[in-house]
Amino acid sequence: TRFFEQEFATHCTYLWLPDVFGYSWALPQILKKSGINAFITSKISWNQYNRMPHDTFMWRGMDGSEVLTHFITTPEVVPHGWFSTYNGQIAASTVSGTWDAYRDKTINRELFLPYGFGDGGGGVTRDMLEMRRRFARVPGMPNVTTGRMDDFVRNLHDTVQNAQGYVHTWDGELYLEYHRGTYTSQAFNKRMNRKLEIAYREAEWMSSFAFLMAGSSWEQMHHQLKDGWTILLRNQFHDIIPGSSIHEVYEDSHMEYERAGEIAQDVWHRSAHAVVSSAPNLFTLFNSAGWERATIVKIPNTTRIEGRFVGSGAVPLTSQLVRDEWWVVTPVLPSLGLDVIELVAGNTRTRTDQAEDSCPFSVQPDGVISPYYEIRWNERGQLVRIFDAQANRDVLAANSCGNVFQVFEDKPLNFDAWDIDMFYQEKMKEITHLVSVRPISVGGACAVVQFEWEFRNSTITQDLIVYAHSRRIDFVTRVDWKESQQLLKVAFPVDIRATEATYDIQFGNVKRPTHWNTSWDQARFEVVGHQWADLSEAGYGVALANDCKYGYDIKDNVMRLSLIKSANSPDPEADKGEHVFTYALIPHPGDWLQAAIVYEAWDLNSPLEFVEGRPIQRPQSLFAFSANTIHVDAVKKQEDGNGLILRLHDFSGGRYPVRVTSSLPIVSWLECDLMERPIADENMSDFQFEIKPFEIKTFLVRFKTD
C-alpha cells in the first residue's frame, strides 16, 4: 500500500491474489482495516473434490468483518477438468467459458477475463488484442470490451449493493483442496519464517523499550528493521515460502535469512544493552508477552562458577545445569517488561534438590515420572503410556502408542513439492530401530531423556523433557534426513472424544471437523495450523504445539504433525540434511482456553531472552492489560512519526472491556487502522476500550519522553 502511494500517488482498494493456496479466516478483517473492500482470486477453483457454490459473494471473517469477494471463472484453453486461470488467452473457449462457468448470473452480468502471455506476468500480445476486437463483433458471444480493473470492482460493488437480499455470505476460511504439501515442503524455510517473524516482533518492542527508557536512536533502528522486514517478506513470496521453487532459490533464501537474522539480533542486543548496565552475575530478563510470565530461562554456563540463582529479595530460584546451560525457573515477570536474577557463588544445591529424595522426577530404563505424569516407553522408543496423575486418567488411547514416527511414501500424481494426495496413507512404515535411550539431566526444574533412532540412512535424536513447573512434554528433535519422496509425521492417538479440533491461525483460531462425514470434511485431510492444535472433550483435552511446523491432520482421536516432506521436484535436494524442531504434547484439564494453551505455545515459540547486567531503572512494564486473553502482535515505532504503535488481538473469541496501564507515563492514545491512520480522536484519559471476538486493534500511543 505504501509503495502504491509513494510511487503512483494512489490507493488500491481491492486485493488481487490469483495464485495462493488457500486463504486465512483472518484475511477479511485485515483487508477492511487496511482500506481494502474487495478480494479477487482464482485458485480455489482448483479444488479436487468440491466446487465453491458461488463466484460472487460476501466473505465474512472470524471477527465478523465482511469483504466483497469475486472468483475469476476464465477457464484454461485446454482444460483437464474445469479450473480457472489468471493467465487467460483471448479465445472462443475462454470468452464464452468465463460466462458459462459463472454461477451468479442472477445478481451480476459483468465479468472480467484477465489475459496475458506467460506464467511470469507477461503482458498482452498483438494477437490477443486483435482477437478481442474480432470477438466484439461475433454474434452469440458475450460482449467483449477492454477496461480497468478498478472500474470493474466499482461496478461490482454497485451491483451487489442493489442485490443485497440475493448475495450469498461465506463465513469461514477459504480452504484449497490442493497443494497441501506446501505447509511442510522446504522445512528450513518454514523454520526460519517462524523464527524471524517472532525475532522481528521482539526487536521492534525492544527498540521501542530502549527509546522510551534510555533515549536510544529509534529512527536508525526503525530503518534497519525495515530492511530486515523487506528480506523476510520477500521470502514469503510465491513460490519461496510454499517450498515449491527450484534449488537455486533456496540457496539464495538461506543467505537472505542469515542476513535478516543478523539485523534482528543486532537491533535487539543494542536495544537491550541500552537499558542494562554492566554488573557481573546479574541477568536482566525480558518478557515480550502481553501477560505475566513465570517460565524457564536458559543461561549459558560461561562463568563456570558454582552457585545458585536468586530473585529479588534473595529468593532462591529452582535451577539446573542441562549440558552447558543453566535452566532457571524465573520469578513472575511483568508483561512487556523486565526483571533481574542473580547467580550467587556458593552451594550449587537449591531448596528443591538439597536431598536426593526431594527431586520431583524419577527416571527408570523404561519410563520417567514427573509431578504431572507417569510416562512409559517400549523397546522401540514409542510411548505406551502417559498417565496424568493429577487428573487420574490416561492420555493415550487404549492399546496404542504415542510419539510414533510414521513415514509415508509420498508420490503425488502431480506437483511433487506442492501436493499430498489422499492415498499417501496406503504405504506407511513406522520408525522402530531404537539405537539408545539415556538420561541427560535430572534435577529440580526438569528431567531430560535422550532417544536415538535410525531409519534407512537417516537418524533421529530427540530429547524428551518433562518439567516441574509446566504440563508441557517437549520433544526437542534433531534429524539428519537422507530420504526422497518420504513424508515424515509424528502421531499421538489420544483418549479424547471430540468431533472438532481447534487450530491456531493468524490472529485467532478456527475449529475444523475430525470426521469425514461429507466430501468437504474428507477433503481437509491435511490442514494448516500455526503454533498449536487442540482436541478437547468436556473437562479435559490434549494440545499439540510446535515451534516451526504448519501441517496438521487430526482424524477421530489421532493427532498428527507433518515434519518433513522431501519432494524430488522442482528441487531434487529438498529437505535433505539436518533439521531442528520442537513439538510438545500438552494434556490439560478443561478446554484449550482454560488451560492457557496460547501461553504454553508462546513459551515454546518465544522463550525468555536475557542480557547480563542490571536494568538502568527499576523493573518496568511497558504495557499491562486487565484482560488475560489479549495477544500483543506488535509494539513498534510509528511509520511516519515518533509515536508508538501498539497492535493486539483477542484470541479467546470473547467480547469484553480492556484497560491498559504502563509503568511509563502515557500522554495520549488513539485508535488507528492497520495503515496507522487515525479512526478516532486523540484521548488523554485512561487507556480503555472494548474488544470484540478475534478483533485486531491498533493504537497510536504517545509517552512523556523528557
Side-chain angles (χ1 to χ4, degrees):
T1 294
R2 288 176 65 83
F3 176 82
F4 268 77
E5 290 173 346
Q6 293 169 358
E7 297 295 324
F8 305 114
T10 189
H11 178 78
C12 188
T13 58
Y14 59 88
L15 176 66
W16 181 324
L17 286 181
D19 191 16
V20 176
F21 311 150
Y23 301 96
S24 167
W25 200 15
L27 189 56
Q29 178 180 195
I30 295 171
L31 298 183
K32 295 292 284 188
K33 291 195 173 186
S34 301
I36 295 172
N37 54 28
F39 172 56
I40 297 165
T41 186
S42 62
K43 195 74 171 191
I44 295 294
S45 69
W46 288 43
N47 275 2
Q48 281 185 305
Y49 305 108
N50 305 280
R51 184 175 172 188
M52 294 288 290
H54 293 273
D55 296 315
T56 299
F57 56 94
M58 300 302 296
W59 182 18
R60 183 177 296 152
M62 61 200 308
D63 73 314
S65 298
E66 293 185 0
V67 62
L68 175 61
T69 301
H70 180 77
F71 290 160
I72 301 168
T73 55
T74 301
E76 289 283 357
V77 175
V78 184
H80 36 283
W82 181 88
F83 59 86
S84 68
T85 180
Y86 47 85
N87 188 40
Q89 304 292 312
I90 305 297
S93 60
T94 58
V95 173
S96 62
T98 298
W99 173 256
D100 293 341
Y102 184 61
R103 292 193 164 191
D104 292 293
K105 301 181 183 72
T106 57
I107 62 170
N108 173 52
R109 301 179 70 82
E110 183 177 273
L111 306 177
F112 79 97
L113 188 162
Y115 59 100
F117 186 80
D119 194 21
V124 301
T125 65
R126 292 175 181 268
D127 287 347
M128 292 176 185
L129 295 175
E130 177 61 26
M131 290 299 291
R132 201 284 306 166
R133 283 190 285 267
R134 294 187 184 190
F135 280 128
R137 301 191 297 271
V138 174
M141 293 286 287
N143 184 36
V144 182
T145 63
T146 57
R148 289 171 56 96
M149 189 65 203
D150 50 2
D151 289 335
F152 170 81
V153 173
R154 192 177 303 111
N155 293 339
L156 187 61
H157 271 289
D158 292 340
T159 300
V160 167
Q161 188 172 6
N162 293 330
Q164 273 298 336
Y166 304 95
V167 179
H168 180 73
T169 298
W170 182 272
D171 195 343
E173 59 190 345
L174 295 178
Y175 176 84
L176 177 66
E177 298 175 359
Y178 213 43
H179 294 355
R180 303 169 184 87
T182 57
Y183 311 148
T184 305
S185 290
Q186 297 287 0
F188 177 82
N189 278 53
K190 301 298 194 297
R191 174 180 174 81
M192 294 309 298
N193 182 72
R194 174 80 61 84
K195 298 301 183 185
L196 288 176
E197 281 184 338
I198 292 174
Y200 273 79
R201 176 194 178 278
E202 305 290 290
E204 284 179 339
W205 100 266
M206 186 60 76
S207 67
S208 303
F209 204 34
F211 170 75
L212 294 171
M213 287 188 66
S216 296
S217 175
W218 211 7
E219 188 71 29
Q220 178 197 7
M221 293 185 185
H222 176 70
H223 286 298
Q224 276 187 274
L225 291 171
K226 183 178 179 181
D227 291 342
W229 270 118
T230 301
I231 297 171
L232 176 56
L233 295 174
R234 179 164 62 239
N235 283 278
Q236 292 184 351
F237 177 73
H238 174 111
D239 280 88
I240 304 174
I241 190 64
S244 44
S245 286
I246 60 175
H247 181 70
E248 289 80 358
V249 168
Y250 296 105
E251 292 178 329
D252 290 346
S253 69
H254 276 52
M255 292 186 291
E256 292 218 322
Y257 281 137
E258 183 177 1
R259 175 58 184 148
E262 290 171 352
I263 293 172
Q265 288 180 11
D266 178 63
V267 170
W268 191 94
H269 281 286
R270 285 196 293 120
S271 300
H273 285 288
V275 300
V276 171
S277 62
S278 178
N281 298 326
L282 286 175
F283 299 89
T284 298
L285 313 180
F286 296 95
N287 173 26
S288 67
W291 51 81
E292 293 182 343
R293 211 169 163 196
T295 183
I296 280 182
V297 64
K298 299 177 182 179
I299 300 175
N301 185 30
T302 55
T303 59
R304 303 294 176 183
I305 68 170
E306 290 195 355
R308 60 191 180 94
F309 285 87
V310 297
S312 59
V315 176
L317 302 173
T318 300
S319 60
Q320 178 178 337
L321 196 59
V322 181
R323 296 188 172 96
D324 291 324
E325 290 180 318
W326 284 107
W327 288 21
V328 186
V329 181
T330 70
V332 177
L333 273 66
S335 62
L336 289 161
L338 54 81
D339 204 345
V340 64
I341 62 174
E342 183 179 3
L343 177 59
V344 179
N347 184 6
T348 60
R349 290 189 176 274
T350 66
R351 288 182 179 179
T352 57
D353 61 7
Q354 285 177 352
E356 185 176 336
D357 58 3
S358 68
C359 178
F361 303 97
S362 172
V363 178
Q364 291 98 35
D366 66 342
V368 59
I369 298 174
S370 80
Y372 295 102
Y373 309 111
E374 178 187 343
I375 300 175
R376 300 291 175 185
W377 51 80
N378 60 19
E379 69 281 357
R380 300 176 173 183
Q382 300 167 340
L383 304 185
V384 294
R385 192 181 196 199
I386 305 175
F387 179 73
D388 187 332
Q390 294 188 340
N392 194 32
R393 62 177 288 168
D394 281 301
V395 175
L396 299 177
N399 303 314
S400 67
C401 297
N403 197 39
V404 176
F405 291 112
Q406 299 176 340
V407 184
F408 301 87
E409 182 181 271
D410 182 31
K411 296 181 178 180
L413 296 176
N414 300 294
F415 306 117
D416 195 11
W418 287 259
D419 289 352
I420 295 175
D421 286 336
M422 186 177 289
F423 57 75
Y424 81 93
Q425 301 185 77
E426 295 177 5
K427 292 185 178 180
M428 187 269 284
K429 296 180 180 178
E430 292 183 359
I431 295 180
T432 58
H433 182 198
L434 181 65
V435 177
S436 64
V437 182
R438 62 189 183 98
I440 298 297
S441 181
V442 181
C446 65
V448 184
V449 181
Q450 185 180 88
F451 296 75
E452 184 176 351
W453 294 268
E454 290 181 350
F455 175 75
R456 296 180 178 174
N457 297 317
S458 303
T459 59
I460 299 175
T461 304
Q462 185 174 80
D463 289 348
L464 183 155
I465 307 174
V466 288
Y467 301 96
H469 76 288
S470 170
R471 282 185 151 270
R472 242 173 53 208
I473 306 169
D474 284 355
F475 301 88
V476 181
T477 312
R478 302 162 194 83
V479 181
D480 186 6
W481 193 247
K482 307 294 187 184
E483 316 307 318
S484 293
Q485 293 188 303
Q486 301 290 315
L487 174 63
L488 177 65
K489 286 176 172 275
V490 65
F492 290 91
V494 296
D495 192 13
I496 297 292
R497 167 61 179 149
T499 58
E500 288 182 321
T502 306
Y503 299 82
D504 176 47
I505 64 170
Q506 302 93 329
F507 302 105
N509 51 79
V510 61
K511 294 184 184 298
R512 301 181 181 121
T514 60
H515 52 71
W516 289 1
N517 283 358
T518 70
S519 58
W520 294 83
D521 301 333
Q522 189 173 14
R524 300 187 185 202
F525 59 83
E526 183 87 3
V527 296
V528 69
H530 281 217
Q531 296 185 11
W532 56 270
D534 183 84
L535 193 63
S536 290
E537 61 190 24
Y540 197 82
V542 180
L544 180 57
N546 75 87
D547 73 340
C548 61
K549 301 300 176 184
Y550 294 92
Y552 280 91
D553 77 272
I554 299 178
K555 174 72 165 60
D556 298 327
N557 68 318
V558 180
M559 308 179 74
R560 293 197 298 203
L561 183 66
S562 297
L563 304 176
I564 301 173
K565 191 176 190 313
S566 57
N568 270 349
S569 175
D571 177 10
E573 298 301 314
D575 288 323
K576 291 185 176 67
E578 295 185 357
H579 300 262
V580 179
F581 51 85
T582 300
Y583 54 88
L585 198 72
I586 315 171
H588 57 81
D591 61 19
W592 65 268
L593 184 59
Q594 295 165 330
I597 294 303
V598 172
Y599 292 9
E600 291 284 3
W602 188 251
D603 277 349
L604 178 63
N605 279 267
S606 183
L608 288 179
E609 300 280 1
F610 71 93
V611 292
E612 190 168 1
R614 72 169 75 245
I616 59 174
Q617 299 182 28
R618 63 181 177 81
Q620 302 278 348
S621 172
L622 185 54
F623 291 112
F625 305 92
S626 60
N628 59 5
T629 53
I630 292 292
H631 199 307
V632 174
D633 302 293
V635 175
K636 59 183 282 290
K637 181 186 176 297
Q638 180 186 11
E639 291 296 315
D640 301 310
N642 276 327
L644 182 142
I645 295 295
L646 168 64
R647 180 169 298 124
L648 52 86
H649 74 271
D650 159 67
F651 62 76
S652 70
R655 188 186 307 259
Y656 46 87
V658 180
R659 186 169 185 266
V660 185
T661 56
S662 175
S663 299
L664 305 178
I666 295 176
V667 174
S668 66
W669 61 278
L670 61 85
E671 187 171 357
C672 306
D673 65 9
L674 291 176
M675 296 293 107
E676 301 181 7
R677 296 173 296 219
I679 59 176
D681 294 333
E682 190 172 27
N683 201 319
M684 298 181 192
S685 60
D686 286 348
F687 194 167
Q688 299 184 75
F689 59 90
E690 295 278 334
I691 198 165
K692 295 184 292 187
F694 302 120
E695 185 179 11
I696 304 168
K697 289 279 194 181
T698 304
F699 299 97
L700 172 60
V701 186
R702 299 193 186 280
F703 288 84
K704 184 178 180 181
T705 56
D706 55 343

